Amino acid sequence: MTRIPKSEFARRRKALMDQMEPNSIAILPAAPVYIRNRDVEHIYRQDSDFQYLSGFPEPEAVIALIPGREHGEYVLFCRERDPERELWDGLRAGQDGAISQYGADDAFPIGDIDDILPGLIEGRERVYYAMGTNQEFDRHLMEWINVIRSKARQGAQPPNEFVALDHLLHDMRLYKSSNEVKVMREAAAISSRAHVRAMQASRAGLFEFHLEAELDYEFRKGGAKMPAYGSIVAAGKNACILHYHENDAALKDGDLVLIDAGCEIDCYASDITRTFPVSGTFSPEQKAIYELVLASQEAAFLEIGPDKHWNQAHEATVQVITAGLVELGILQGDVDELIATEAYKPFYMHRAGHWLGLDVHDVGDYKVGGEWRVLEVGMAMTVEPGIYIGLDNQNVAKKWRGIGVRIEDDVVVTRDGCEILTKDCPKTVAEIEALMAAARAEVA
Ligand code: GLY
Ligand code: MN
Ligand code: MN
């Protein structure tokens, strides 16, 4: 069971149903099981929308929400209990469990869906459904609709409208409840410990995957089933590859290592990046770039709060980074002009953050009516400025080349600004150098 209480799932379903037009049905399939190779499956991860509404962790399940249905508004189709299959693959909730543990009003075997679901759709005016995200299920749904159409002469009424369910649901998911923030705080705390462990273990001669192993150890020890995304452990020039994932290069004395990694707890993601020296001490150039990125992040935090719009944090990072690059002599010219011409982009080519939640790049619109969205209490996001100076960048002095720094924290908007969920993860040059020196002293 998840840390989110049953009552909250019920509240979410009700909030969704309250927004649905009268005489409608919402239908959501569970995530499929993906095959890794031959008969080996990928670790199962529930679809985030399905998880949000049910907390039901099994594949081969379908939610139907039918506001006003006399025999129950929340119908769950799921696998039947099967002692033999359960002996091999693990326990199933079954229909009784769907009702008693997961709060379904009514539950049916998934094998009976072809017989039952068309009857639940029939006569409803609208179907709320996320078309195009699961092609196989799209096809099934059309078959069920066609079953109803084929009975039109007997008086069956197929639905008249399909409505994008994801839009309603994704707006709801953007606002995190206090229970959700609590889970995200826990994921953030475990990930913070994982980054500390990697810093403590770092030394020249190891490989990037050694540090990945330290992260994984701390994630699993904290109770996380898996990382929220593929961990990036990028030493030296690899830090300039934004989605580096080989994680197999040697750690060299004098290089930095950038780690972008976070675990998920009950499907809620954390997403942290720290950049630190392989051997524990920043060079003057590394320190200058690092402190510039850090200053830009601090400036961004000040632009996150109610009534500030989504892009303000990004704009703050661009301002600080561009001015800083001029100060260091990496860019030349007038800061405002350099910003207007996007001269910073060869060094800072991504945005300052993204929504964070059940998906690491979480759902929700960034613009509303063509304008950047105004932040509200409960919205969670990352703040992750970076500077990357390619090894082959002939336009900058040699001493800067090959330095890649990103610093990423997770925040949630509060009444008076934002809470930094990942604040326990050391970040200043002094903190990182002290932590790494202490770890070395212990080993020596
Ligand atoms: N780890 C993916 C990101 O930072 O957006
Ligand atoms: Mn991120
Ligand atoms: Mn990240």
Side-chain angles (χ1 to χ4, degrees):
M1 295 303 276
T2 93
R3 289 154 182 78
I4 304 291
K6 241 167 97 173
S7 56
E8 181 155 331
F9 290 109
R11 216 160 43 233
R12 294 170 182 175
R13 291 189 295 268
K14 177 161 190 328
L16 176 62
M17 287 194 275
D18 284 347
Q19 293 178 69
M20 290 165 61
E21 298 282 340
N23 199 24
S24 57
I25 180 170
I27 300 171
L28 293 92
V33 172
Y34 292 101
I35 298 296
R36 181 175 174 275
N37 59 292
R38 198 163 158 79
D39 58 352
V40 180
E41 297 169 354
H42 279 286
I43 296 174
Y44 187 69
R45 165 57 157 80
Q46 189 53 279
D47 173 81
S48 298
D49 287 336
F50 193 99
Q51 176 73 18
Y52 182 77
L53 289 177
S54 69
F56 191 72
E58 297 181 21
E60 298 182 72
V62 173
I63 294 171
L65 295 178
I66 314 158
R69 177 173 175 262
E70 203 176 314
H71 300 294
E73 298 182 313
Y74 173 27
V75 177
L76 191 57
F77 293 88
C78 60
R79 301 180 301 188
E80 286 185 273
R81 301 292 308 266
D82 178 340
E84 172 143 13
R85 285 310 332 151
E86 290 182 48
L87 172 69
W88 286 88
D89 301 332
L91 295 183
R92 301 171 171 190
Q95 287 65 55
D96 290 345
I99 292 169
S100 64
Q101 296 172 55
Y102 294 96
D105 297 319
D106 211 353
F108 300 103
I110 188 73
D112 295 348
I113 195 166
D114 288 340
D115 298 328
I116 295 170
L117 193 55
L120 295 177
I121 298 171
E122 206 261 292
R124 315 266 161 212
E125 190 74 19
R126 285 173 202 80
V127 177
Y128 287 75
Y129 174 66
M131 195 79 68
T133 50
N134 180 336
Q135 288 186 357
E136 196 182 328
F137 199 80
D138 287 356
R139 216 172 35 247
H140 283 307
L141 185 56
M142 287 312 123
E143 283 163 9
W144 295 319
I145 300 293
N146 282 334
V147 167
I148 303 169
R149 285 183 183 142
S150 72
K151 293 183 182 154
R153 267 168 297 163
Q154 286 108 284
Q157 291 188 332
N160 283 322
E161 266 181 53
F162 280 82
V163 185
L165 171 65
D166 25 342
H167 195 75
L168 290 182
L169 209 47
H170 293 178
D171 205 64
M172 289 170 58
R173 280 176 51 188
L174 193 48
Y175 300 85
K176 273 67 181 179
S177 69
S178 58
N179 287 317
E180 289 180 290
V181 172
K182 219 160 108 186
V183 179
M184 291 178 73
R185 229 180 254 132
E186 186 179 336
I190 296 164
S191 299
S192 297
R193 290 202 294 276
H195 280 262
V196 167
R197 190 178 177 92
M199 289 178 200
Q200 289 169 330
S202 177
R203 61 190 53 102
L206 295 181
F207 285 79
E208 292 163 345
F209 54 75
H210 287 115
L211 301 190
E212 187 178 7
E214 303 292 339
L215 299 167
D216 288 340
Y217 175 80
E218 207 63 53
F219 290 166
R220 295 294 284 130
K221 203 170 74 154
K225 284 210 183 79
M226 55 190 125
Y229 53 93
S231 301
I232 297 169
V233 182
K237 64 177 178 7
N238 295 337
C240 297
I241 303 169
L242 296 181
H243 287 163
Y244 178 75
H245 58 260
E246 278 88 352
N247 297 359
D248 60 358
L251 306 183
K252 296 202 200 90
D253 192 26
D255 278 352
L256 294 176
V257 53
L258 179 157
I259 296 185
D260 183 344
C263 67
E264 78 175 26
I265 290 286
D266 289 342
C267 297
Y268 286 89
S270 54
D271 183 6
I272 302 181
T273 306
R274 288 293 182 265
T275 310
F276 56 89
V278 164
S279 302
T281 312
F282 287 85
S283 75
E285 288 77 21
Q286 290 166 349
K287 183 171 173 200
I289 297 295
Y290 187 90
E291 294 198 316
L292 178 50
V293 175
L294 188 56
S296 77
Q297 199 203 31
E298 295 292 350
F301 290 145
L302 299 177
E303 297 301 326
I304 297 175
D307 300 328
K308 306 208 187 263
H309 70 67
W310 166 258
N311 210 41
Q312 279 177 242
H314 179 70
E315 286 164 4
T317 60
V318 167
Q319 177 72 37
V320 171
I321 284 175
T322 308
L325 289 175
V326 169
E327 215 160 283
L328 294 175
I330 294 173
L331 282 178
Q332 290 86 31
D334 173 70
V335 172
D336 290 340
E337 213 171 293
L338 292 168
I339 290 175
T341 57
E342 300 188 334
Y344 57 87
K345 272 213 170 154
F347 305 100
Y348 177 32
M349 59 294 282
H350 58 75
R351 297 194 50 84
H354 48 80
W355 302 131
L356 182 73
L358 285 169
D359 291 301
V360 63
H361 296 160
D362 209 25
V363 293
D365 292 334
Y366 292 95
K367 280 190 170 178
V368 176
E371 301 289 334
W372 291 111
R373 187 165 202 143
V374 174
L375 302 180
E376 295 174 61
V377 172
M379 292 179 176
M381 68 210 69
T382 66
V383 186
E384 50 176 309
I387 295 177
Y388 315 88
I389 308 172
L391 208 52
D392 54 0
N393 189 333
Q394 309 291 331
N395 301 324
V396 301
K398 223 172 181 164
K399 63 177 182 175
W400 302 111
R401 294 182 202 165
I403 296 179
V405 172
R406 178 163 67 255
I407 305 173
E408 175 173 29
D409 284 282
D410 304 341
V411 308
V412 60
V413 177
T414 58
R415 272 211 303 263
D416 47 8
C418 65
E419 174 188 342
I420 302 174
L421 303 172
T422 45
K423 63 181 180 320
D424 293 337
C425 195
K427 193 158 61 171
T428 65
V429 166
E431 280 168 352
I432 290 173
E433 288 189 343
L435 181 152
M436 294 183 73
R440 276 151 190 276
E442 220 164 89
V443 173

